[in-house]
Amino acid sequence: RMSGVQLIEVDDGEAGARLDRWFKRRFPHIGRGQLEKLLRTGQIRVDGGRVKSATRLEAGQQVRVPPLPDADAPPQPRAPFSDADKAFMRSLVIHEDEDVLALNKPAGLAVQGGSKTTRHLDALIGALARSNEEPARLAHRLDRDTSGVIVFGKSPAAAGKLARAFADHSAAKTYWAITIGAPNPRLGLIKGFIRKAARAGGDREAMTRAAHGDEGAVYARTRYAVMANAGQRAAWVALRPETGRTHQLRFHMAELGCAILGDRKYTCHRPAPEGAPKGLMLHACSLELAHPRGGALHLEAALPAHMSKAFELFGFEQGDYVDPFDET
């Protein structure tokens, strides 16, 4: 059984949401692969134009939804969460109020699902919802192997306002990384166009340099500051992305010749120091953005165990940190 073509207007509370998340909330029975096919073939359009899953929606836009199978069927009941899942998710919470839920995401846990990923934050977030509540909604993303602050809105309106802060780059994100070698100069700005490019083995997510006007090229800016270094073995680097591109920080550090320790995709000519713990040494340690009800929200996430061990190994002291990006 198929529904007819629908034209759905984006309401104010949904403004700033990614198209794929907007679609999932309205049509939870349609899988990601099916959605991507509908986008690729142009059956889903926004204001008459072709779009991608990451397109940010604006209030008042018209989304064309093609006939969908069983679109009018009631959603399947959510499988109950185990006590272990509930306890695990509660252990990640670093802030919660009536509008916002913030977690310290562990490295290795995906934010959203894919064809081979069934355990991810977007599926587990319902473990924190009360029986009469809808699960909180993602406002942004982190790479699977990046740990740290990630924010959810507890209503469509809150999620929309939070998402807009990331879309318009008013959210100030600070990451800590351990790099192989020490960037020179110790304080700088990396900028330029980048784009996705296929690599050997079918990797379509790898970023590469690009020129303005190249197909798929996007502009990326990252500020960085070396906080400490262990000779030329490794450095503790604070990073402030001023844009939010895929793998931006990892690509930019590798471009400087000081790849992030533990990164197997973006590498450099320097050998990794021996004896370092396993895992990507990149952590979203703090986030400042506007609260949906007004005022400022400041969130901090403690370092994961593998990075804490690396700090000890290289003699870096977290207590020595002074915000190098503070412009007040």
Side-chain angles (χ1 to χ4, degrees):
R1 191 168 47 182
M2 304 285 285
S3 67
V5 173
Q6 303 175 68
L7 284 176
I8 303 176
E9 183 172 320
V10 179
D11 64 35
D12 291 342
E14 297 169 322
R18 283 170 52 117
L19 175 61
D20 53 359
R21 296 172 194 160
W22 177 93
F23 200 92
K24 181 179 179 181
R25 288 198 291 269
R26 288 181 175 264
F27 305 99
H29 61 294
I30 301 299
R32 186 173 184 84
Q34 195 174 356
L35 170 61
E36 291 294 343
K37 182 177 180 180
L38 293 172
L39 289 165
R40 191 168 57 250
T41 56
Q43 296 182 64
I44 297 174
R45 293 177 177 252
V46 175
D47 286 346
R50 286 177 175 262
V51 285
K52 296 183 178 181
S53 58
T55 297
R56 297 282 180 180
L57 297 174
E58 299 176 8
Q61 287 184 318
Q62 296 278 338
V63 181
R64 179 195 185 273
V65 179
L68 299 174
D70 299 322
D72 58 350
Q76 294 297 310
R78 189 184 302 272
F81 293 97
S82 68
D83 290 343
D85 281 341
K86 292 177 181 178
F88 170 69
M89 290 300 290
R90 282 196 296 270
S91 74
L92 305 183
V93 176
I94 55 176
H95 173 87
E96 184 173 12
D97 59 42
E98 58 187 325
D99 299 295
V100 180
L101 180 63
L103 309 180
N104 185 355
K105 186 187 88 65
L109 178 62
V111 171
Q112 290 183 300
S115 58
K116 298 179 181 179
T117 304
T118 57
R119 183 176 174 81
H120 51 88
L121 274 185
D122 210 20
L124 291 168
I125 197 66
L128 295 175
R130 298 180 181 87
S131 58
N132 60 340
E133 287 182 334
E134 285 292 312
R137 297 159 172 81
L138 275 166
H140 63 123
R141 297 182 66 184
L142 289 176
D143 288 348
R144 178 197 294 265
D145 293 324
T146 303
S147 57
V149 181
I150 189 162
V151 176
F152 295 74
K154 296 178 73 174
S155 69
K161 289 179 180 179
L162 292 167
R164 278 197 295 277
F166 292 95
D168 65 18
H169 311 305
S170 62
K173 298 173 285 185
T174 302
Y175 291 73
W176 286 0
I178 297 177
T179 61
I180 303 173
N184 185 28
R186 297 177 70 85
L187 186 70
L189 170 68
I190 313 165
K191 60 183 179 180
F193 287 90
I194 61 176
R195 65 182 178 89
K196 290 181 182 178
R199 284 186 175 183
D203 186 348
R204 295 178 297 172
E205 289 290 310
M207 306 304 288
T208 188
R209 294 184 199 177
H212 182 52
D214 286 354
E215 182 179 357
V218 292
Y219 189 65
R221 285 173 58 98
T222 301
R223 296 166 66 192
Y224 75 89
V226 177
M227 306 308 302
N229 59 284
Q232 278 300 311
R233 294 173 66 212
W236 165 21
V237 181
L239 298 162
R240 171 66 59 82
E242 295 184 344
T243 53
R245 309 306 185 188
T246 300
H247 300 167
Q248 174 178 324
L249 303 180
R250 298 164 60 187
F251 175 77
H252 275 166
M253 287 297 99
E255 282 287 283
L256 280 186
C258 297
I260 295 175
L261 184 60
D263 197 336
R264 292 178 293 180
K265 180 173 293 200
Y266 300 98
T267 58
C268 64
H269 67 282
R270 300 171 187 264
E274 295 183 3
K278 301 296 184 183
L280 181 69
M281 302 291 170
L282 180 61
H283 178 69
C285 64
S286 69
L287 174 64
E288 294 183 39
L289 73 170
H291 191 280
R293 291 183 188 264
L297 190 61
H298 180 79
L299 304 166
E300 294 186 357
L303 280 180
H306 72 290
M307 284 191 68
S308 291
K309 290 177 182 176
F311 265 58
E312 293 176 10
L313 174 67
F314 297 118
F316 302 147
E317 295 288 344
Q318 296 183 50
D320 292 343
Y321 182 75
V322 177
D323 185 359
F325 311 117
D326 187 357
E327 297 175 347
T328 57

mmCIF file of all heavy atoms in Angstrom, residues 169-217:
data_model
loop_
_atom_site.group_PDB
_atom_site.id
_atom_site.type_symbol
_atom_site.label_atom_id
_atom_site.label_comp_id
_atom_site.label_asym_id
_atom_site.label_seq_id
_atom_site.Cartn_x
_atom_site.Cartn_y
_atom_site.Cartn_z
ATOM 1 N N HIS A 169 27.377 28.702 12.772
ATOM 2 C CA HIS A 169 28.713 28.751 13.370
ATOM 3 C C HIS A 169 28.798 29.661 14.595
ATOM 4 O O HIS A 169 29.878 30.154 14.928
ATOM 5 C CB HIS A 169 29.756 29.175 12.333
ATOM 6 C CG HIS A 169 29.679 28.419 11.051
ATOM 7 N ND1 HIS A 169 29.736 27.038 11.005
ATOM 8 C CD2 HIS A 169 29.513 28.831 9.762
ATOM 9 C CE1 HIS A 169 29.629 26.644 9.755
ATOM 10 N NE2 HIS A 169 29.480 27.701 8.980
ATOM 11 N N SER A 170 27.673 29.881 15.268
ATOM 12 C CA SER A 170 27.716 30.668 16.505
ATOM 13 C C SER A 170 28.064 29.806 17.715
ATOM 14 O O SER A 170 28.358 30.329 18.786
ATOM 15 C CB SER A 170 26.380 31.379 16.731
ATOM 16 O OG SER A 170 25.314 30.446 16.895
ATOM 17 N N ALA A 171 28.035 28.486 17.557
ATOM 18 C CA ALA A 171 28.449 27.583 18.630
ATOM 19 C C ALA A 171 29.979 27.518 18.642
ATOM 20 O O ALA A 171 30.607 27.251 17.615
ATOM 21 C CB ALA A 171 27.867 26.188 18.418
ATOM 22 N N ALA A 172 30.584 27.785 19.797
ATOM 23 C CA ALA A 172 32.044 27.756 19.926
ATOM 24 C C ALA A 172 32.471 26.386 20.436
ATOM 25 O O ALA A 172 32.234 26.039 21.597
ATOM 26 C CB ALA A 172 32.516 28.852 20.869
ATOM 27 N N LYS A 173 33.109 25.610 19.568
ATOM 28 C CA LYS A 173 33.531 24.254 19.906
ATOM 29 C C LYS A 173 35.048 24.228 20.106
ATOM 30 O O LYS A 173 35.787 24.711 19.253
ATOM 31 C CB LYS A 173 33.153 23.288 18.773
ATOM 32 C CG LYS A 173 31.663 23.192 18.515
ATOM 33 C CD LYS A 173 31.353 22.352 17.279
ATOM 34 C CE LYS A 173 31.650 23.110 16.005
ATOM 35 N NZ LYS A 173 31.237 22.352 14.790
ATOM 36 N N THR A 174 35.483 23.661 21.217
ATOM 37 C CA THR A 174 36.914 23.507 21.470
ATOM 38 C C THR A 174 37.244 22.027 21.591
ATOM 39 O O THR A 174 36.584 21.304 22.349
ATOM 40 C CB THR A 174 37.346 24.238 22.754
ATOM 41 O OG1 THR A 174 37.015 25.621 22.643
ATOM 42 C CG2 THR A 174 38.839 24.092 22.977
ATOM 43 N N TYR A 175 38.223 21.607 20.828
ATOM 44 C CA TYR A 175 38.688 20.227 20.858
ATOM 45 C C TYR A 175 40.114 20.190 21.386
ATOM 46 O O TYR A 175 40.883 21.136 21.190
ATOM 47 C CB TYR A 175 38.699 19.617 19.453
ATOM 48 C CG TYR A 175 37.347 19.385 18.828
ATOM 49 C CD1 TYR A 175 36.571 20.439 18.368
ATOM 50 C CD2 TYR A 175 36.853 18.088 18.651
ATOM 51 C CE1 TYR A 175 35.350 20.232 17.771
ATOM 52 C CE2 TYR A 175 35.617 17.865 18.046
ATOM 53 C CZ TYR A 175 34.874 18.944 17.614
ATOM 54 O OH TYR A 175 33.648 18.724 17.014
ATOM 55 N N TRP A 176 40.456 19.092 22.040
ATOM 56 C CA TRP A 176 41.840 18.813 22.384
ATOM 57 C C TRP A 176 42.298 17.630 21.542
ATOM 58 O O TRP A 176 41.556 16.652 21.354
ATOM 59 C CB TRP A 176 41.992 18.455 23.856
ATOM 60 C CG TRP A 176 41.866 19.625 24.785
ATOM 61 C CD1 TRP A 176 41.637 20.930 24.455
ATOM 62 C CD2 TRP A 176 41.961 19.589 26.223
ATOM 63 N NE1 TRP A 176 41.581 21.710 25.577
ATOM 64 C CE2 TRP A 176 41.774 20.917 26.678
ATOM 65 C CE3 TRP A 176 42.183 18.584 27.143
ATOM 66 C CZ2 TRP A 176 41.798 21.252 28.031
ATOM 67 C CZ3 TRP A 176 42.213 18.894 28.499
ATOM 68 C CH2 TRP A 176 42.026 20.221 28.938
ATOM 69 N N ALA A 177 43.524 17.739 21.045
ATOM 70 C CA ALA A 177 44.104 16.651 20.272
ATOM 71 C C ALA A 177 45.533 16.443 20.725
ATOM 72 O O ALA A 177 46.182 17.355 21.258
ATOM 73 C CB ALA A 177 44.076 16.982 18.774
ATOM 74 N N ILE A 178 46.035 15.242 20.520
ATOM 75 C CA ILE A 178 47.453 14.962 20.651
ATOM 76 C C ILE A 178 47.957 14.665 19.250
ATOM 77 O O ILE A 178 47.450 13.758 18.578
ATOM 78 C CB ILE A 178 47.739 13.793 21.606
ATOM 79 C CG1 ILE A 178 47.268 14.128 23.017
ATOM 80 C CG2 ILE A 178 49.222 13.447 21.609
ATOM 81 C CD1 ILE A 178 47.448 12.997 24.015
ATOM 82 N N THR A 179 48.912 15.459 18.800
ATOM 83 C CA THR A 179 49.432 15.301 17.447
ATOM 84 C C THR A 179 50.802 14.641 17.457
ATOM 85 O O THR A 179 51.516 14.657 18.462
ATOM 86 C CB THR A 179 49.540 16.664 16.735
ATOM 87 O OG1 THR A 179 50.444 17.510 17.459
ATOM 88 C CG2 THR A 179 48.178 17.339 16.634
ATOM 89 N N ILE A 180 51.134 14.062 16.324
ATOM 90 C CA ILE A 180 52.469 13.490 16.137
ATOM 91 C C ILE A 180 53.384 14.639 15.734
ATOM 92 O O ILE A 180 53.227 15.226 14.668
ATOM 93 C CB ILE A 180 52.456 12.397 15.060
ATOM 94 C CG1 ILE A 180 51.448 11.296 15.413
ATOM 95 C CG2 ILE A 180 53.855 11.808 14.879
ATOM 96 C CD1 ILE A 180 51.247 10.266 14.321
ATOM 97 N N GLY A 181 54.307 15.005 16.601
ATOM 98 C CA GLY A 181 55.117 16.193 16.370
ATOM 99 C C GLY A 181 54.365 17.441 16.793
ATOM 100 O O GLY A 181 53.176 17.384 17.119
ATOM 101 N N ALA A 182 55.051 18.564 16.794
ATOM 102 C CA ALA A 182 54.464 19.831 17.248
ATOM 103 C C ALA A 182 54.286 20.780 16.061
ATOM 104 O O ALA A 182 55.256 21.077 15.362
ATOM 105 C CB ALA A 182 55.348 20.481 18.307
ATOM 106 N N PRO A 183 53.059 21.251 15.824
ATOM 107 C CA PRO A 183 52.845 22.213 14.732
ATOM 108 C C PRO A 183 53.688 23.471 14.914
ATOM 109 O O PRO A 183 53.912 23.933 16.025
ATOM 110 C CB PRO A 183 51.346 22.538 14.845
ATOM 111 C CG PRO A 183 50.742 21.349 15.512
ATOM 112 C CD PRO A 183 51.793 20.880 16.472
ATOM 113 N N ASN A 184 54.152 24.010 13.806
ATOM 114 C CA ASN A 184 54.948 25.235 13.794
ATOM 115 C C ASN A 184 54.407 26.136 12.684
ATOM 116 O O ASN A 184 54.349 25.705 11.547
ATOM 117 C CB ASN A 184 56.415 24.898 13.554
ATOM 118 C CG ASN A 184 57.318 26.119 13.653
ATOM 119 O OD1 ASN A 184 56.995 27.067 14.358
ATOM 120 N ND2 ASN A 184 58.420 26.083 12.931
ATOM 121 N N PRO A 185 53.976 27.363 13.013
ATOM 122 C CA PRO A 185 54.049 28.048 14.306
ATOM 123 C C PRO A 185 53.106 27.436 15.338
ATOM 124 O O PRO A 185 52.229 26.636 14.996
ATOM 125 C CB PRO A 185 53.642 29.484 13.963
ATOM 126 C CG PRO A 185 52.757 29.354 12.770
ATOM 127 C CD PRO A 185 53.326 28.212 11.974
ATOM 128 N N ARG A 186 53.272 27.836 16.585
ATOM 129 C CA ARG A 186 52.507 27.245 17.679
ATOM 130 C C ARG A 186 51.074 27.775 17.755
ATOM 131 O O ARG A 186 50.231 27.188 18.448
ATOM 132 C CB ARG A 186 53.229 27.483 19.010
ATOM 133 C CG ARG A 186 54.587 26.809 19.062
ATOM 134 C CD ARG A 186 55.321 27.117 20.346
ATOM 135 N NE ARG A 186 54.733 26.490 21.515
ATOM 136 C CZ ARG A 186 54.983 25.251 21.921
ATOM 137 N NH1 ARG A 186 55.820 24.485 21.230
ATOM 138 N NH2 ARG A 186 54.420 24.775 23.014
ATOM 139 N N LEU A 187 50.794 28.848 17.073
ATOM 140 C CA LEU A 187 49.445 29.422 17.044
ATOM 141 C C LEU A 187 49.148 29.771 15.593
ATOM 142 O O LEU A 187 49.966 30.413 14.930
ATOM 143 C CB LEU A 187 49.386 30.677 17.915
ATOM 144 C CG LEU A 187 48.029 31.348 18.120
ATOM 145 C CD1 LEU A 187 47.136 30.481 18.982
ATOM 146 C CD2 LEU A 187 48.213 32.721 18.757
ATOM 147 N N GLY A 188 47.990 29.331 15.084
ATOM 148 C CA GLY A 188 47.748 29.607 13.674
ATOM 149 C C GLY A 188 46.315 29.367 13.242
ATOM 150 O O GLY A 188 45.453 28.958 14.022
ATOM 151 N N LEU A 189 46.092 29.644 11.968
ATOM 152 C CA LEU A 189 44.799 29.463 11.317
ATOM 153 C C LEU A 189 45.025 28.671 10.043
ATOM 154 O O LEU A 189 45.874 29.027 9.226
ATOM 155 C CB LEU A 189 44.167 30.820 10.990
ATOM 156 C CG LEU A 189 42.927 30.818 10.095
ATOM 157 C CD1 LEU A 189 41.740 30.178 10.816
ATOM 158 C CD2 LEU A 189 42.573 32.241 9.652
ATOM 159 N N ILE A 190 44.273 27.592 9.882
ATOM 160 C CA ILE A 190 44.331 26.784 8.661
ATOM 161 C C ILE A 190 43.028 27.026 7.903
ATOM 162 O O ILE A 190 41.939 26.912 8.485
ATOM 163 C CB ILE A 190 44.467 25.282 8.984
ATOM 164 C CG1 ILE A 190 45.557 25.058 10.035
ATOM 165 C CG2 ILE A 190 44.761 24.484 7.731
ATOM 166 C CD1 ILE A 190 45.509 23.686 10.658
ATOM 167 N N LYS A 191 43.114 27.343 6.627
ATOM 168 C CA LYS A 191 41.907 27.632 5.861
ATOM 169 C C LYS A 191 42.102 27.224 4.407
ATOM 170 O O LYS A 191 43.232 27.152 3.915
ATOM 171 C CB LYS A 191 41.543 29.111 5.958
ATOM 172 C CG LYS A 191 42.619 30.062 5.441
ATOM 173 C CD LYS A 191 42.213 31.515 5.652
ATOM 174 C CE LYS A 191 43.314 32.452 5.144
ATOM 175 N NZ LYS A 191 42.940 33.876 5.332
ATOM 176 N N GLY A 192 40.991 26.987 3.749
ATOM 177 C CA GLY A 192 41.041 26.622 2.339
ATOM 178 C C GLY A 192 39.872 25.738 1.977
ATOM 179 O O GLY A 192 39.040 25.371 2.821
ATOM 180 N N PHE A 193 39.793 25.389 0.704
ATOM 181 C CA PHE A 193 38.712 24.547 0.211
ATOM 182 C C PHE A 193 39.110 23.076 0.277
ATOM 183 O O PHE A 193 40.258 22.719 -0.007
ATOM 184 C CB PHE A 193 38.341 24.937 -1.231
ATOM 185 C CG PHE A 193 37.606 26.243 -1.317
ATOM 186 C CD1 PHE A 193 38.301 27.432 -1.462
ATOM 187 C CD2 PHE A 193 36.224 26.273 -1.229
ATOM 188 C CE1 PHE A 193 37.623 28.649 -1.532
ATOM 189 C CE2 PHE A 193 35.537 27.474 -1.297
ATOM 190 C CZ PHE A 193 36.238 28.666 -1.443
ATOM 191 N N ILE A 194 38.153 22.260 0.669
ATOM 192 C CA ILE A 194 38.357 20.813 0.721
ATOM 193 C C ILE A 194 37.133 20.132 0.112
ATOM 194 O O ILE A 194 36.072 20.741 -0.033
ATOM 195 C CB ILE A 194 38.588 20.310 2.164
ATOM 196 C CG1 ILE A 194 37.372 20.621 3.057
ATOM 197 C CG2 ILE A 194 39.845 20.923 2.761
ATOM 198 C CD1 ILE A 194 37.502 20.067 4.481
ATOM 199 N N ARG A 195 37.296 18.865 -0.241
ATOM 200 C CA ARG A 195 36.158 18.108 -0.768
ATOM 201 C C ARG A 195 36.397 16.625 -0.540
ATOM 202 O O ARG A 195 37.531 16.194 -0.299
ATOM 203 C CB ARG A 195 35.953 18.371 -2.260
ATOM 204 C CG ARG A 195 37.072 17.889 -3.169
ATOM 205 C CD ARG A 195 36.800 18.234 -4.624
ATOM 206 N NE ARG A 195 37.908 17.813 -5.482
ATOM 207 C CZ ARG A 195 38.007 16.610 -6.046
ATOM 208 N NH1 ARG A 195 37.060 15.690 -5.821
ATOM 209 N NH2 ARG A 195 39.022 16.306 -6.813
ATOM 210 N N LYS A 196 35.316 15.864 -0.629
ATOM 211 C CA LYS A 196 35.443 14.419 -0.522
ATOM 212 C C LYS A 196 36.006 13.866 -1.824
ATOM 213 O O LYS A 196 35.677 14.339 -2.908
ATOM 214 C CB LYS A 196 34.076 13.781 -0.253
ATOM 215 C CG LYS A 196 33.523 14.068 1.126
ATOM 216 C CD LYS A 196 32.189 13.379 1.322
ATOM 217 C CE LYS A 196 31.601 13.716 2.688
ATOM 218 N NZ LYS A 196 30.276 13.097 2.887
ATOM 219 N N ALA A 197 36.842 12.849 -1.696
ATOM 220 C CA ALA A 197 37.411 12.201 -2.872
ATOM 221 C C ALA A 197 37.552 10.713 -2.593
ATOM 222 O O ALA A 197 37.890 10.309 -1.474
ATOM 223 C CB ALA A 197 38.769 12.807 -3.215
ATOM 224 N N ALA A 198 37.277 9.921 -3.606
ATOM 225 C CA ALA A 198 37.381 8.469 -3.457
ATOM 226 C C ALA A 198 38.836 8.070 -3.303
ATOM 227 O O ALA A 198 39.739 8.656 -3.912
ATOM 228 C CB ALA A 198 36.767 7.771 -4.662
ATOM 229 N N ARG A 199 39.065 7.086 -2.451
ATOM 230 C CA ARG A 199 40.403 6.537 -2.270
ATOM 231 C C ARG A 199 40.395 5.079 -2.666
ATOM 232 O O ARG A 199 39.350 4.465 -2.836
ATOM 233 C CB ARG A 199 40.836 6.641 -0.803
ATOM 234 C CG ARG A 199 41.246 8.036 -0.359
ATOM 235 C CD ARG A 199 41.779 7.954 1.059
ATOM 236 N NE ARG A 199 42.298 9.233 1.532
ATOM 237 C CZ ARG A 199 42.856 9.395 2.707
ATOM 238 N NH1 ARG A 199 42.978 8.374 3.535
ATOM 239 N NH2 ARG A 199 43.305 10.589 3.082
ATOM 240 N N ALA A 200 41.574 4.520 -2.797
ATOM 241 C CA ALA A 200 41.683 3.090 -3.062
ATOM 242 C C ALA A 200 40.955 2.317 -1.975
ATOM 243 O O ALA A 200 41.053 2.646 -0.800
ATOM 244 C CB ALA A 200 43.158 2.678 -3.113
ATOM 245 N N GLY A 201 40.222 1.323 -2.381
ATOM 246 C CA GLY A 201 39.447 0.550 -1.422
ATOM 247 C C GLY A 201 38.015 1.022 -1.298
ATOM 248 O O GLY A 201 37.251 0.479 -0.508
ATOM 249 N N GLY A 202 37.647 2.038 -2.072
ATOM 250 C CA GLY A 202 36.255 2.483 -2.092
ATOM 251 C C GLY A 202 35.887 3.447 -0.996
ATOM 252 O O GLY A 202 34.700 3.686 -0.753
ATOM 253 N N ASP A 203 36.875 4.045 -0.279
ATOM 254 C CA ASP A 203 36.592 5.006 0.777
ATOM 255 C C ASP A 203 36.125 6.312 0.148
ATOM 256 O O ASP A 203 36.897 7.005 -0.516
ATOM 257 C CB ASP A 203 37.851 5.242 1.610
ATOM 258 C CG ASP A 203 37.596 6.127 2.816
ATOM 259 O OD1 ASP A 203 36.516 6.749 2.887
ATOM 260 O OD2 ASP A 203 38.474 6.183 3.697
ATOM 261 N N ARG A 204 34.856 6.676 0.344
ATOM 262 C CA ARG A 204 34.305 7.890 -0.259
ATOM 263 C C ARG A 204 34.262 9.053 0.735
ATOM 264 O O ARG A 204 33.810 10.132 0.396
ATOM 265 C CB ARG A 204 32.887 7.626 -0.788
ATOM 266 C CG ARG A 204 32.846 6.617 -1.924
ATOM 267 C CD ARG A 204 31.424 6.367 -2.369
ATOM 268 N NE ARG A 204 30.625 5.782 -1.294
ATOM 269 C CZ ARG A 204 29.310 5.593 -1.361
ATOM 270 N NH1 ARG A 204 28.647 5.968 -2.420
ATOM 271 N NH2 ARG A 204 28.667 5.042 -0.345
ATOM 272 N N GLU A 205 34.721 8.823 1.964
ATOM 273 C CA GLU A 205 34.606 9.841 2.996
ATOM 274 C C GLU A 205 35.898 10.608 3.228
ATOM 275 O O GLU A 205 35.955 11.460 4.079
ATOM 276 C CB GLU A 205 34.171 9.190 4.318
ATOM 277 C CG GLU A 205 32.737 8.718 4.318
ATOM 278 C CD GLU A 205 31.752 9.877 4.315
ATOM 279 O OE1 GLU A 205 31.893 10.783 5.142
ATOM 280 O OE2 GLU A 205 30.861 9.883 3.467
ATOM 281 N N ALA A 206 36.946 10.289 2.500
ATOM 282 C CA ALA A 206 38.228 10.954 2.721
ATOM 283 C C ALA A 206 38.209 12.340 2.099
ATOM 284 O O ALA A 206 37.777 12.529 0.970
ATOM 285 C CB ALA A 206 39.356 10.122 2.122
ATOM 286 N N MET A 207 38.709 13.324 2.867
ATOM 287 C CA MET A 207 38.776 14.691 2.370
ATOM 288 C C MET A 207 40.131 14.946 1.720
ATOM 289 O O MET A 207 41.134 14.323 2.074
ATOM 290 C CB MET A 207 38.560 15.679 3.516
ATOM 291 C CG MET A 207 37.273 15.452 4.309
ATOM 292 S SD MET A 207 35.780 15.457 3.304
ATOM 293 C CE MET A 207 35.654 17.207 2.891
ATOM 294 N N THR A 208 40.131 15.863 0.759
ATOM 295 C CA THR A 208 41.356 16.233 0.068
ATOM 296 C C THR A 208 41.312 17.719 -0.248
ATOM 297 O O THR A 208 40.256 18.350 -0.154
ATOM 298 C CB THR A 208 41.533 15.407 -1.218
ATOM 299 O OG1 THR A 208 42.825 15.645 -1.785
ATOM 300 C CG2 THR A 208 40.467 15.745 -2.254
ATOM 301 N N ARG A 209 42.434 18.286 -0.623
ATOM 302 C CA ARG A 209 42.463 19.693 -0.997
ATOM 303 C C ARG A 209 41.598 19.931 -2.229
ATOM 304 O O ARG A 209 41.448 19.061 -3.079
ATOM 305 C CB ARG A 209 43.892 20.142 -1.326
ATOM 306 C CG ARG A 209 44.848 20.143 -0.172
ATOM 307 C CD ARG A 209 46.177 20.704 -0.640
ATOM 308 N NE ARG A 209 47.269 20.348 0.267
ATOM 309 C CZ ARG A 209 48.527 20.659 0.046
ATOM 310 N NH1 ARG A 209 48.859 21.320 -1.062
ATOM 311 N NH2 ARG A 209 49.472 20.312 0.914
ATOM 312 N N ALA A 210 41.076 21.140 -2.334
ATOM 313 C CA ALA A 210 40.257 21.497 -3.491
ATOM 314 C C ALA A 210 40.467 22.970 -3.797
ATOM 315 O O ALA A 210 41.039 23.715 -3.000
ATOM 316 C CB ALA A 210 38.777 21.213 -3.214
ATOM 317 N N ALA A 211 40.001 23.377 -4.959
ATOM 318 C CA ALA A 211 40.034 24.775 -5.361
ATOM 319 C C ALA A 211 38.617 25.321 -5.405
ATOM 320 O O ALA A 211 37.646 24.564 -5.599
ATOM 321 C CB ALA A 211 40.693 24.921 -6.736
ATOM 322 N N HIS A 212 38.498 26.602 -5.195
ATOM 323 C CA HIS A 212 37.183 27.242 -5.270
ATOM 324 C C HIS A 212 36.562 26.942 -6.640
ATOM 325 O O HIS A 212 37.198 27.112 -7.671
ATOM 326 C CB HIS A 212 37.328 28.753 -5.085
ATOM 327 C CG HIS A 212 36.022 29.483 -5.112
ATOM 328 N ND1 HIS A 212 34.958 29.125 -4.329
ATOM 329 C CD2 HIS A 212 35.609 30.548 -5.850
ATOM 330 C CE1 HIS A 212 33.949 29.947 -4.565
ATOM 331 N NE2 HIS A 212 34.316 30.813 -5.493
ATOM 332 N N GLY A 213 35.327 26.461 -6.623
ATOM 333 C CA GLY A 213 34.653 26.128 -7.867
ATOM 334 C C GLY A 213 34.699 24.659 -8.217
ATOM 335 O O GLY A 213 33.937 24.196 -9.076
ATOM 336 N N ASP A 214 35.585 23.882 -7.564
ATOM 337 C CA ASP A 214 35.604 22.438 -7.799
ATOM 338 C C ASP A 214 34.275 21.826 -7.344
ATOM 339 O O ASP A 214 33.671 22.277 -6.364
ATOM 340 C CB ASP A 214 36.732 21.771 -7.013
ATOM 341 C CG ASP A 214 38.108 22.033 -7.607
ATOM 342 O OD1 ASP A 214 38.168 22.629 -8.694
ATOM 343 O OD2 ASP A 214 39.113 21.646 -6.966
ATOM 344 N N GLU A 215 33.844 20.789 -8.037
ATOM 345 C CA GLU A 215 32.610 20.116 -7.642
ATOM 346 C C GLU A 215 32.742 19.566 -6.221
ATOM 347 O O GLU A 215 33.715 18.882 -5.901
ATOM 348 C CB GLU A 215 32.292 18.972 -8.609
ATOM 349 C CG GLU A 215 30.992 18.265 -8.295
ATOM 350 C CD GLU A 215 30.663 17.149 -9.273
ATOM 351 O OE1 GLU A 215 31.442 16.966 -10.242
ATOM 352 O OE2 GLU A 215 29.646 16.472 -9.065
ATOM 353 N N GLY A 216 31.789 19.897 -5.387
ATOM 354 C CA GLY A 216 31.793 19.410 -4.012
ATOM 355 C C GLY A 216 32.711 20.155 -3.068
ATOM 356 O O GLY A 216 32.813 19.784 -1.888
ATOM 357 N N ALA A 217 33.369 21.215 -3.541
ATOM 358 C CA ALA A 217 34.318 21.942 -2.688
ATOM 359 C C ALA A 217 33.588 22.768 -1.634
ATOM 360 O O ALA A 217 32.592 23.428 -1.926
ATOM 361 C CB ALA A 217 35.208 22.849 -3.532
#
